[in-house]
């Protein structure tokens, strides 16, 4: 492999790793640390500018001092903590054991091919979690059942809309509206002791915990632009959730939750 081919392959690999980490929900500093470890193992120095939809990376060969800057547009985000953990562990091994580019590429392909939970498992697990929240807020078993069904249908709609590559905020709005409409039936037909609790908790699976937590982490670590961008995304998601809930309550003339 010529030096130019090695340079191009390394740049593509590091950009792909940074992209995987970003769309999987890693904070900015964690992405930079992981990329720096991989680059050090390959005898490169890397400087990155990471944003919500774009990564700009300058790669420098420490032997020849040749530099190159590349831009990579990120695909849609899909939270996957397993990917983040596996890449982080691989970066430490790569630095400690001096992995070559082929070894790193093979490991990244393995991580990309890791099995994900089937959609039905995610639907059931998330719905049980929402039902649990309903119980915490004094909902009885009937209210928990309504919350479970509402979250199940709302998340199913979200999954189906995601497959069709709809805008993130439209997807969140439709999921919130669907879950709220189903949960509102519990109030209309007075199901359980606290039907309002089922409505209030039916949309909790949509709360943007990862963007908001990462935004504060980025701000605390002086990644100001990315922190503000993630905070804005979190606020937009909250607005989409609230709009769906408000519309459902308006349809059924529900005054309060």
């Amino acid at each position: 492999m010529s030096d130019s081919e090695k340079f191009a392959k390394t740049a593509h690999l590091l950009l792909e790793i940074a992209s995987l980490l970003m769309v999987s929900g890693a904070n900015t500093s964690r992405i930079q640390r992981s990329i720096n470890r991989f680059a050090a193992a390959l005898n490169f120095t890397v400087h990155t500018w990471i944003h919500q939809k774009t990564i700009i990376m300058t790669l420098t060969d420490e032997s020849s001092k040749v530099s190159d800057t590349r831009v990579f547009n990120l695909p849609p985000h899909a939270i996957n903590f397993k990917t983040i953990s596996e890449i982080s562990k691989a970066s430490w091994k790569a630095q400690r054991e001096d992995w070559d580019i082929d070894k790193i590429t093979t490991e990244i392909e393995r991580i990309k091919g890791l099995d994900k939970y089937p959609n039905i498992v995610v639907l059931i697990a998330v719905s049980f979690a929402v039902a649990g929240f309903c119980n915490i807020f004094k909902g009885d078993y009937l209210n928990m059942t309504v919350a479970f069904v509402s979250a199940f249908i709302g998340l199913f709609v979200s999954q189906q809309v995601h497959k069709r590559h709809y805008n993130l905020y439209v997807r969140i709005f439709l999921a919130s509206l669907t879950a709220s409409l189903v949960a509102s039936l519990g109030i209309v037909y007075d199901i359980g002791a606290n039907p309002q609790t089922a409505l209030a908790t039916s949309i909790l699976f949509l709360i943007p915990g990862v963007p908001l937590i990462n935004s504060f982490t980025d701000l605390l670590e002086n990644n100001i632009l990315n922190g503000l961008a993630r905070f804005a995304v979190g606020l937009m998601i909250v607005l989409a959730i609230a709009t769906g809930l408000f519309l459902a309550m308006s349809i059924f003339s529900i005054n309060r939750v």
Side-chain angles (χ1 to χ4, degrees):
M1 184 187 297
S2 66
D3 289 342
S4 61
E5 290 175 337
K6 180 183 177 183
F7 201 102
K9 188 174 181 179
T10 301
H12 176 76
L13 176 61
L14 294 180
L15 280 168
E16 183 178 26
I17 294 171
S19 170
L20 276 172
L21 288 169
M22 184 65 183
V23 300
S24 296
N27 64 59
T28 305
S29 293
R30 184 164 190 170
I31 298 171
Q32 292 172 335
R33 290 194 298 268
S34 294
I35 292 301
N36 287 339
R37 287 193 288 266
F38 282 119
L42 299 172
N43 199 35
F44 281 87
T45 301
V46 63
H47 298 279
T48 54
W49 186 86
I50 301 169
H51 195 56
Q52 195 71 11
K53 299 187 71 173
T54 306
I55 295 177
I56 301 175
M57 179 179 292
T58 298
L59 196 63
T60 304
D61 189 328
E62 293 187 359
S63 300
S64 63
K65 301 303 180 183
V66 174
S67 296
D68 189 20
T69 298
R70 304 199 175 201
V71 179
F72 191 90
N73 291 324
L74 297 175
H77 292 223
I79 305 302
N80 190 329
F81 293 124
K82 189 173 185 179
T83 296
I84 297 172
S85 176
E86 290 294 322
I87 290 178
S88 181
K89 289 188 289 186
S91 70
W92 283 108
K93 288 183 180 179
Q95 185 178 42
R96 186 170 58 249
E97 300 173 9
D98 292 325
W99 286 3
D100 59 20
I101 190 169
D102 292 328
K103 174 67 174 175
I104 296 174
T105 301
T106 300
E107 180 64 12
I108 295 303
E109 289 300 318
R110 182 193 71 81
I111 293 171
K112 287 166 61 179
L114 289 174
D115 291 335
K116 298 179 180 179
Y117 292 114
N119 285 343
I120 186 63
V121 173
V122 174
L123 283 168
I124 293 172
V126 170
S127 300
F128 270 120
V130 170
F133 277 118
C134 182
N135 180 252
I136 290 173
F137 292 106
K138 308 304 181 183
D140 62 14
Y141 286 106
L142 288 175
N143 301 139
M144 292 169 64
T145 301
V146 172
F148 180 95
V149 173
S150 302
F152 190 97
I153 297 175
L155 183 55
F156 178 78
V157 169
S158 177
Q159 290 178 345
Q160 297 306 307
V161 172
H162 178 69
K163 289 179 181 178
R164 289 164 175 75
H165 307 291
Y166 277 47
N167 177 276
L168 168 65
Y169 308 114
V170 172
R171 173 164 60 88
I172 296 296
F173 165 74
L174 291 175
S176 174
L177 176 61
T178 302
S180 301
L181 285 172
V182 176
S184 294
L185 294 176
I187 297 178
V188 172
Y189 294 103
D190 196 25
I191 300 174
N194 297 299
Q196 293 86 356
T197 301
L199 175 58
T201 56
S202 65
I203 55 173
L204 290 183
F205 68 95
L206 295 169
I207 297 299
V210 173
L212 292 176
I213 292 171
N214 280 341
S215 72
F216 286 110
T217 302
D218 285 345
L219 289 171
L220 290 172
E221 294 175 341
N222 283 328
N223 295 303
I224 305 299
L225 290 178
N226 219 16
L228 292 175
R230 281 172 154 158
F231 186 71
V233 169
L235 288 182
M236 287 293 291
I237 291 174
V238 170
L239 178 61
I241 296 170
T243 303
L245 176 61
F246 173 78
L247 184 56
M249 293 175 65
S250 298
I251 291 172
F252 287 100
S253 300
I254 298 172
N255 296 321
R256 62 185 180 86
V257 177

